[in-house]
Amino acid sequence: LQDQFDNLEKHTQWGIDVLEKYIKFVKERTEIELSYAKQLRNLSKKYQPKKNSKEEEEYRYTSTRAFLATLNEMNDYAGQHEVISENMTSLITGELTRYVQELKQERKSHFHDGRKAQQHIETCWKQLEASKRRFERDCKEADRAQQYFEKMDADINVTKADVEKARQQAQLRHQMAEDSKAEYSSTLQKFNSEQHDHYYTHIPNIFQKIQEMEERRIVRIGESMKTFAEVDRQVIPIIGKCLDEITKAAESIDHKNDSQMVIEAFKSGFEPPGDIDFEDFTQPMKRTISESSLSNSRGDGKSEPKFGGKSKGKLWPFIKKNKGAGPEDFSNLPPEQRRKKLQQKVDELNKDIQKEMDQRDALTKMKDVYVKNPQMGDAASVDHRLAELGQNIEKLRLEVQKFEGWLAEVEGRLPVRTEPARRQSGLYEAQNTSAVNSCAQDRESPDGSYTEEQSQETEMKVPAMDFDDEFDDEEPLPTIGTCKALYTFEG
């Protein structure tokens, strides 16, 4: 390759270009990894439940908890792509960028030495050529001087002085030719030696260094490509764990448990309706209705159809949805839901009491320290706060007693009742009333009304009113309270 110096220079420059192109490729890969990680994090965040929202409550089911676990694992998954980007930046692009700078400097040094060696041999060649031309010129000059001397010596008309002068000139030229010959010979030997060293020592050494440099570049880019794969491979176990956790979360989904939670969340505590008695309309209607009853006060006492007179069920016409806050005792809820809310409230109040008591205990200890070591603080300075905490605890205890009272009341009503429950339908059906015994037991229907055993066939009738269209789209409402009749009331 002695004569391929220029081609080697071009090839090594191309090798550096390849390295820089690879660095650019890895940089773009790291940007993609960062962008992907950011998008995954944003996606995970987008579907996270909002704090203190209804959506957060929905995550108590195993299926939604599994989804939440998936979101969290995707966040960790995104983190691994950030690790890929960071490691590729530090182990590949950073290292290779520094290496390219060193490579450029090394290449520049080698080709500088090569050019210097080339210039030196070219200088030696020029010196040889100059010595050769001088030797050639001196030989020609010596021949001409010799010929001139011989011509003068043969001419009888020339004086001896002129002949002697020509002879001396010829001898001088011959001496100059001999000196030039010796110089040319010496220069030639030197050039041959320099040329041998140039082609067999200097240039091979330089080319060897260039070859080693080029091979190191090739090895380095190969190592970087292995690192490129290793960086990915290193996070595979962690990504695998993320995927394993997602699988584990999916396998933790318990459909039976979720169904039971739905039941627990929405069960009302009402009993199913009992059988409906057969009404025989083939027999004459025998009803003893007081003249002061609702039907007599409204009309002629004839039996009227159920409220509304239409086949499809209607809501109780006088109840509208309560859009405001419910009562403090949650009496607007069905029994089971009311019990849960009351129990939850009692638990919350007990936690608050414990917090206040912990603060009081801490302050009491602090006061004891101050009493024993007055220099550390004034014991009287915590008395006001201790009194305040005592008042807070007392208020909270009274609240607990109040809610525990309501809880005991609702829990006393939850056991299954022996008498048939009224049909839970949200319709205003005819109410059969009778005299109420003084020791009447509670009989609360799902819609919050109170019924007694029939002792006489007294029926309250409500005339058909124009409420149908107004309440067609209303949904059945939860019980808002109960009432108990202490005596018969007519008129």
Side-chain angles (χ1 to χ4, degrees):
L1 295 177
Q2 300 95 323
D3 58 343
Q4 298 298 311
F5 195 82
D6 292 342
N7 285 334
L8 283 181
E9 190 172 22
K10 291 177 183 177
H11 178 78
T12 51
Q13 180 58 50
W14 170 82
I16 291 175
D17 293 341
V18 169
L19 262 183
E20 290 180 330
K21 182 188 292 185
Y22 182 70
I23 291 171
K24 185 179 179 183
F25 159 74
V26 177
K27 279 184 177 178
E28 291 187 15
R29 164 73 190 276
T30 60
E31 290 169 1
I32 289 171
E33 292 292 341
L34 279 180
S35 176
Y36 182 47
K38 183 179 180 181
Q39 290 179 45
L40 284 179
R41 286 193 185 280
N42 289 341
L43 179 66
S44 177
K45 184 178 179 181
K46 177 181 178 182
Y47 285 92
Q48 289 282 348
K50 304 295 186 298
K51 293 292 183 182
N52 303 319
S53 66
K54 182 181 179 182
E55 185 180 334
E56 191 176 32
E57 295 178 7
E58 295 170 355
Y59 279 80
R60 64 184 184 273
Y61 299 103
T62 60
S63 57
T64 44
R65 285 206 306 271
F67 178 49
L68 182 59
T70 299
L71 295 177
N72 294 333
E73 292 302 327
M74 286 308 296
N75 203 46
D76 293 344
Y77 186 99
Q80 295 312 304
H81 285 277
E82 290 172 343
V83 169
I84 290 174
S85 176
E86 292 168 4
N87 289 344
M88 285 188 175
T89 298
S90 61
L91 300 177
I92 300 178
T93 59
E95 291 293 326
L96 280 186
T97 299
R98 285 190 293 272
Y99 176 68
V100 164
Q101 296 305 315
E102 295 171 0
L103 189 62
K104 286 180 177 179
Q105 286 299 116
E106 184 181 358
R107 175 181 174 276
K108 182 179 179 181
S109 174
H110 293 328
F111 281 99
H112 174 74
D113 292 343
R115 288 193 186 89
K116 189 176 179 180
Q118 195 71 31
Q119 288 171 358
H120 177 70
I121 199 66
E122 287 175 359
T123 301
C124 291
W125 172 256
K126 289 177 182 179
Q127 290 174 352
L128 177 63
E129 284 293 306
S131 177
K132 181 182 177 182
R133 284 193 301 271
R134 187 163 53 253
F135 172 53
E136 183 182 9
R137 185 182 67 246
D138 288 347
C139 286
K140 288 179 180 179
E141 290 292 333
D143 286 342
R144 281 196 295 269
Q146 183 64 32
Q147 291 173 5
Y148 179 72
F149 164 67
E150 289 176 354
K151 181 180 176 183
M152 292 292 288
D153 188 45
D155 189 350
I156 59 173
N157 297 320
V158 177
T159 64
K160 287 184 178 181
D162 290 336
V163 171
E164 183 61 25
K165 184 178 179 181
R167 186 183 65 77
Q168 291 178 356
Q169 186 66 27
Q171 287 179 346
L172 178 63
R173 291 297 179 181
H174 277 293
Q175 185 61 44
M176 290 178 64
E178 287 297 325
D179 292 343
S180 295
K181 181 180 179 181
E183 182 186 354
Y184 170 58
S185 177
S186 174
T187 304
L188 180 60
Q189 288 179 1
K190 181 180 178 183
F191 174 79
N192 286 335
S193 175
E194 291 286 350
Q195 181 175 254
H196 184 277
D197 290 344
H198 176 80
Y199 285 108
Y200 289 94
T201 304
H202 299 317
I203 290 300
N205 287 342
I206 292 171
F207 280 10
Q208 182 64 33
K209 291 177 182 178
I210 293 173
Q211 180 177 342
E212 290 171 358
M213 176 192 74
E214 182 68 5
E215 288 175 355
R216 285 198 307 273
R217 178 194 66 82
I218 295 167
V219 169
R220 192 64 174 267
I221 196 170
E223 290 174 346
S224 296
M225 289 177 180
K226 285 178 66 178
T227 304
F228 183 86
E230 283 301 317
V231 166
D232 248 337
R233 187 174 284 109
Q234 286 172 3
V235 303
I236 287 175
I238 303 175
I239 289 177
K241 287 181 181 178
C242 292
L243 299 177
D244 289 343
E245 288 299 318
I246 292 174
T247 303
K248 184 178 177 181
E251 292 171 349
S252 71
I253 295 175
D254 186 344
H255 57 285
K256 294 292 186 183
N257 179 76
D258 285 5
S259 296
Q260 189 60 38
M261 288 181 70
V262 174
I263 294 169
E264 291 297 325
F266 297 113
K267 70 179 180 181
S268 64
F270 291 135
E271 296 177 4
D275 294 339
I276 299 175
D277 295 334
F278 177 77
E279 297 181 54
D280 189 356
F281 291 98
T282 60
Q283 300 298 324
M285 301 297 290
K286 295 181 180 180
R287 305 185 187 279
T288 57
I289 303 172
S290 170
E291 291 181 358
S292 61
S293 68
L294 176 61
S295 60
N296 283 341
S297 66
R298 288 283 185 175
D300 57 3
K302 293 181 180 179
S303 177
E304 295 183 3
K306 305 286 184 180
F307 172 75
K310 293 186 179 181
S311 61
K312 62 180 181 177
K314 300 296 175 186
L315 291 173
W316 173 260
F318 304 108
I319 299 176
K320 292 188 178 181
K321 289 184 178 179
N322 180 13
K323 296 182 180 178
E328 186 183 17
D329 62 353
F330 305 112
S331 56
N332 59 320
L333 298 177
E336 180 62 25
Q337 298 305 312
R338 184 186 180 199
R339 184 191 66 77
K340 285 185 178 181
K341 285 290 185 182
L342 289 170
Q343 184 62 60
Q344 182 180 349
K345 187 67 177 178
V346 168
D347 293 342
E348 289 174 359
L349 288 170
N350 283 327
K351 286 182 182 179
D352 292 340
I353 289 173
Q354 188 59 49
K355 287 180 183 178
E356 296 289 303
M357 289 176 69
D358 290 343
Q359 288 188 47
R360 185 181 65 180
D361 292 344
L363 282 175
T364 302
K365 291 179 181 178
M366 185 184 295
K367 182 178 179 180
D368 291 342
V369 172
Y370 289 169
V371 169
K372 294 176 182 178
N373 302 281
Q375 69 276 11
M376 295 184 67
D378 182 10
S381 63
V382 297
D383 288 343
H384 176 72
R385 179 58 181 158
L386 282 172
E388 188 180 84
L389 288 170
Q391 292 174 1
N392 292 345
I393 291 169
E394 188 60 30
K395 287 179 182 178
L396 288 169
R397 281 175 175 164
L398 290 173
E399 284 288 299
V400 169
Q401 291 176 7
K402 179 172 66 176
F403 279 95
E404 283 180 340
W406 287 328
L407 182 60
E409 176 187 341
V410 73
E411 285 179 341
R413 295 178 181 177
L414 280 178
V416 179
R417 293 182 282 272
T418 55
E419 70 274 9
R422 290 188 55 82
R423 186 176 186 82
Q424 180 184 1
S425 64
L427 295 174
Y428 177 68
E429 298 181 357
Q431 300 286 327
N432 293 327
T433 61
S434 64
V436 181
N437 296 330
S438 60
C439 59
Q441 297 178 345
D442 292 352
R443 278 180 289 276
E444 298 166 9
S445 66
D447 59 3
S449 60
Y450 179 86
T451 60
E452 284 289 344
E453 299 284 344
Q454 280 187 304
S455 61
Q456 57 180 352
E457 285 205 62
T458 303
E459 182 175 359
M460 295 175 64
K461 303 182 184 63
V462 179
M465 302 178 189
D466 297 328
F467 288 102
D468 293 352
D469 294 337
E470 183 179 352
F471 291 90
D472 277 350
D473 297 328
E474 294 287 345
E475 294 293 330
L477 296 172
T479 302
I480 62 171
T482 59
C483 62
K484 179 188 297 185
L486 300 180
Y487 51 87
T488 57
F489 181 82
E490 296 180 350

